Amino acid sequence: VERVQFPVHYFMAERPPHRLREKKAFYRECARKKILSSPEDSKALYEYGVHCSETEHYEEAVTTFSRALDLAPDFIDRYPDLTSINGYIGAGLIKLSRYEEALASLGEGIRISPRNCDLYHLQGIACMGLGRDDEAVSALEKAVELNPGFAKAHKQLGIACLRAGDKNSAALALTKALKLNPGMTDAAQALRSITAEGSPEEHSAGRAGGSVKLSVCIIVRNEEENLPRCMESVEGIADEIVVVDTGSTDETVRRAAE
């Protein structure tokens, strides 16, 4: 085996999970060094932006992608296999709650790739962030039309329909999402909220009258990777989830608060 001057990407499931984080951070650092040596290389900037996105450095990712486009206005023509750049920018801006800017970037992406279901999915999420639920429904309907097997888009469509007051369409979309991915606990919870009989007040009264209330207590220490999955597994089953942290030094507490 010969030594090479670039990292070989090898993303397979492995334990412990922190190794994957370390690997992603290593790739990001390699990409950063590449743009230091070639600051005008728009493709290198794109690659660095991807690694920033994967390591949740969204502000830096958006800035880097935007610089790549500024340096190469013909970026899409030059690199037709990298049309996802507008999607990356839009996704990063959504993470930063900059929804209007996200819609502008996603709109440009849709103009270039009008059959990209991911762009419509992100467009729907951005519209929901602005409270424009009817527009969100239209965008998400387009996403699932282009890709009927897109479980996340069906789920998001269901939530958008629910927010727009269309419970029947919401139930259909959420049911489809669960058929495609039965592990979507948030979709199951949203569907239960539609199909449950009676008002919240009636349910509260019923509980007060003697029905069983379930509390789940999770005792943790340095479980930032496992805690979200653990909590999701009991969503919709437990009436409350209590997380007791015993001195974590990682992001466990922040994860619990989310």
Side-chain angles (χ1 to χ4, degrees), residues 92-248:
L93 289 167
I94 288 170
K95 290 290 187 180
L96 297 168
S97 300
R98 291 158 56 181
Y99 301 115
E100 289 285 7
E101 295 173 74
L103 285 175
S105 180
L106 294 167
E108 177 62 14
I110 289 170
R111 184 188 67 79
I112 296 166
S113 304
R115 297 193 61 78
N116 186 320
C117 61
D118 293 310
L119 295 175
Y120 289 102
H121 177 229
L122 291 169
Q123 188 182 55
I125 293 172
C127 286
M128 290 178 69
L130 292 168
R132 288 151 52 176
D133 297 324
D134 289 337
E135 293 177 49
V137 169
S138 296
L140 291 161
E141 284 177 339
K142 185 65 176 180
V144 298
E145 174 191 330
L146 291 169
N147 183 0
F150 195 169
K152 286 185 178 180
H154 282 287
K155 180 198 75 174
Q156 206 67 42
L157 174 59
I159 294 170
C161 288
L162 187 58
R163 286 176 43 160
D166 186 351
K167 291 186 177 181
N168 289 333
S169 296
L172 289 172
L174 292 166
T175 300
K176 180 67 173 179
L178 287 167
K179 185 176 180 180
L180 292 166
N181 183 357
M184 281 187 163
T185 55
D186 48 352
Q189 188 173 12
L191 185 59
R192 278 193 292 271
S193 74
I194 297 171
T195 57
E197 295 181 359
S199 67
E201 291 78 11
E202 289 170 333
H203 284 292
S204 296
R207 280 182 180 157
S211 60
V212 177
K213 182 174 181 178
L214 175 65
S215 297
V216 173
C217 181
I218 309 170
I219 302 174
V220 296
R221 180 182 176 88
N222 293 336
E223 292 290 350
E224 65 173 295
E225 290 294 326
N226 298 317
L227 181 59
R229 187 170 65 254
C230 177
M231 294 176 67
E232 287 174 2
S233 70
V234 295
E235 281 183 2
I237 301 172
D239 293 276
E240 64 177 6
I241 302 173
V242 180
V243 179
V244 180
D245 184 75
T246 59
S248 295

Side-chain angles (χ1 to χ4, degrees), residues 78-92:
R78 191 183 301 183
Y79 306 111
D81 56 329
L82 302 182
T83 56
S84 57
I85 188 167
N86 291 104
Y88 273 116
I89 294 173

